[in-house]
Amino acid sequence: MMRGTAAPTYNFSIGFTTFLVLGFLLTIWNAEPALGDKESKTLRHLFKKRMKRDTNCDREFITKEMTSNTMLPVLYTAAQLDTCLNNSVLMSNLTELGHIAFNSKQLLILKKKLGEIYTNGLPEEQIRQLGFIITMYGPDEISMWNITNADTLAFVLRNSPNLDTTKIVVRNYVQGSGPLTAVALDAIGGPLLCTLHEKNLMTIQPTELKKARPLSISTCTQAKKDILFGIAKVAFQDLAGDLKAYFNQLKPYIGGAQASDLQRLAPGNINMDFQTFSSLNPVEVEELIAQNIRDLLGINLNSLKENENHEIVRRWVNTHTVAEVMSLGIGLRGGISPAGLGNLSILPLPGSATVNSYSLLLSICVAVLEITLQCLP
């Protein structure tokens, strides 16, 4: 009886790491028909570039399921993150990885990998997903980003390294026709908005300004203040029937108000504080009569006396008659003297009568004197 020969045996054992690499290759191979030529070439390029390095991973490869694990910074050193995180996993899970608190060395690895993937610069969609990784990008790199989405702009400005970079980012945004929506306005803020060209400010829609947080525009030029107030008037016109509520919404932009706007607001019992009054356009304030001033400031009228050396107070006083200045009844001095009398200096009167009483008496006397002089041949 012949003894059968033993069947040949083969060693099919392969390393676990090699198995994973082969699996990754098959994944790419199977995915190519569903991808465009560009994406397919990108994946093949990344695989060739990373295949040799990936075999050096001495820990478990980071999978999609692991990208939300906040313990990754502890489990993987920067070197291990480099060898155990495939670029394809980073591409498809950038948002999750970007929100993990890696240290600076680990973040630099992620930034380097993104540079390998996006050799022509980060697309805007990926910029929004960077999370903490954005802190690894310098001013020169950020300044080159093409941002057209308000949400992207807001994210970049929150993490911009310095004011100069912020200015460049905003300038690039508006030059690229990025819309000045409420989200963009909140991100940019008033002072930075004031650095934009007037034609850019004109593109702000009233509905967007209404939704935005109040903007501080004190650093704007008068021309820009005028533009923003005009937009604000339209934005809040539904409140025009309630002058006090209307004023409260217009207040941040009141520096662009014309005399006619202030005259309309005056009877609304708005009690304008002096800080707001001092932000008005002095040229427009000069057009107001004493009664307008009294109505605008209401209970805060005495603040004019307390700030009588402020430019806006002096300019109003110097463009109105002594009688009109005195008619405010708060002790303000100065004004245009009656013809032929030169400059009048009003001195306080002795006695126990209040300043307001004497001021009113003097204003009446001066008014009578003016009328008398005008009637003389």
Side-chain angles (χ1 to χ4, degrees):
M1 180 176 178
M2 296 180 59
R3 295 182 179 178
T5 57
T9 59
Y10 300 94
N11 184 7
F12 288 100
S13 63
I14 57 175
F16 180 67
T17 300
T18 305
F19 173 77
L20 288 177
V21 172
L22 289 175
F24 180 54
L25 177 59
L26 288 174
T27 300
I28 294 175
W29 183 272
N30 292 329
E32 284 190 355
L35 298 174
D37 290 339
K38 183 176 180 181
E39 291 82 357
S40 178
K41 289 178 181 178
T42 299
L43 284 173
R44 288 198 300 270
H45 170 73
L46 292 176
F47 176 75
K48 290 177 182 178
K49 189 168 184 136
R50 297 289 300 176
M51 184 171 64
K52 183 176 180 180
R53 194 185 311 171
D54 286 345
T55 60
N56 295 326
C57 176
D58 58 2
R59 291 189 63 84
E60 180 183 2
F61 277 92
I62 298 173
T63 63
K64 175 182 178 179
E65 292 71 25
M66 298 169 62
T67 55
S68 297
N69 187 349
T70 57
M71 293 301 294
L72 284 179
V74 177
L75 299 174
Y76 290 82
T77 66
Q80 290 170 333
L81 194 64
D82 190 21
T83 57
C84 299
L85 175 63
N86 288 322
N87 287 354
S88 60
V89 175
L90 175 59
M91 286 174 61
S92 57
N93 300 277
L94 180 56
T95 299
E96 292 78 8
L97 291 167
H99 285 82
I100 293 178
F102 290 106
N103 63 41
S104 58
K105 291 182 180 180
Q106 293 167 323
L107 290 174
L108 282 172
I109 292 296
L110 298 180
K111 176 191 173 184
K112 182 192 70 171
K113 286 175 171 288
L114 289 173
E116 295 173 355
I117 298 170
Y118 304 105
T119 55
N120 294 323
L122 280 176
E124 185 168 4
E125 182 179 354
Q126 277 63 48
I127 293 174
R128 290 198 298 272
Q129 299 173 353
L130 286 176
F132 294 118
I133 308 173
I134 194 175
T135 60
M136 296 295 104
Y137 289 86
D140 293 339
E141 295 169 304
I142 293 176
S143 300
M144 298 299 293
W145 287 347
N146 181 30
I147 300 172
T148 59
N149 181 279
D151 290 322
T152 310
L153 176 70
F155 169 69
V156 173
L157 293 184
R158 284 196 304 269
N159 297 278
S160 185
N162 56 57
L163 181 59
D164 291 335
T165 305
T166 298
K167 288 181 179 179
I168 295 174
V169 170
V170 173
R171 183 194 65 195
N172 292 346
Y173 175 78
V174 295
Q175 288 180 350
S177 299
L180 291 174
T181 62
V183 173
L185 292 174
D186 287 344
I188 294 172
L192 198 52
L193 189 70
C194 289
T195 66
L196 299 182
H197 196 278
E198 292 170 17
K199 66 180 181 181
N200 299 131
L201 300 185
M202 292 178 183
T203 66
I204 300 173
Q205 295 298 313
T207 52
E208 296 300 323
L209 184 67
K210 187 175 184 178
K211 290 186 292 185
R213 292 192 294 268
L215 297 166
S216 173
I217 63 170
S218 60
T219 58
C220 283
T221 63
Q222 189 58 55
K224 293 177 182 178
K225 290 178 181 178
D226 295 345
I227 292 170
L228 291 170
F229 182 79
I231 297 171
K233 279 176 63 178
V234 178
F236 301 106
Q237 62 183 348
D238 58 318
L239 298 174
D242 183 346
L243 290 180
K244 194 164 189 178
Y246 188 44
F247 166 70
N248 287 334
Q249 295 299 325
L250 293 178
K251 189 174 178 180
Y253 315 101
I254 201 71
Q258 297 181 358
S260 58
D261 299 311
L262 298 172
Q263 289 163 350
R264 182 184 177 189
L265 289 169
N269 191 32
I270 62 175
N271 295 315
M272 183 182 292
D273 60 89
F274 185 78
Q275 182 178 358
T276 303
F277 181 79
S278 66
S279 71
L280 298 174
N281 183 350
V283 175
E284 301 298 329
V285 172
E286 290 174 4
E287 300 296 318
L288 302 178
I289 63 173
Q291 187 60 48
N292 297 149
I293 298 292
R294 185 182 292 107
D295 290 341
L296 279 173
L297 276 78
I299 61 175
N300 297 313
L301 183 61
N302 282 326
S303 63
L304 294 184
K305 174 61 179 175
E306 297 166 2
N307 296 277
E308 60 183 334
N309 292 321
H310 193 284
E311 179 188 3
I312 199 166
V313 179
R314 298 315 310 163
R315 288 185 61 162
W316 184 83
V317 168
N318 293 336
T319 52
H320 291 76
T321 66
V322 173
E324 191 169 11
V325 173
M326 297 299 293
S327 72
L328 290 176
I330 56 175
L332 273 181
R333 300 181 182 184
I336 301 173
S337 303
L341 292 184
N343 294 328
L344 292 182
S345 177
I346 307 299
L347 299 176
L349 299 176
S352 59
T354 64
V355 173
N356 285 349
S357 299
Y358 280 115
S359 296
L360 181 59
L361 177 62
L362 285 171
S363 65
I364 294 172
C365 292
V366 172
V368 171
L369 182 59
E370 286 181 344
I371 294 172
T372 302
L373 290 173
Q374 289 173 5
C375 294
L376 290 176

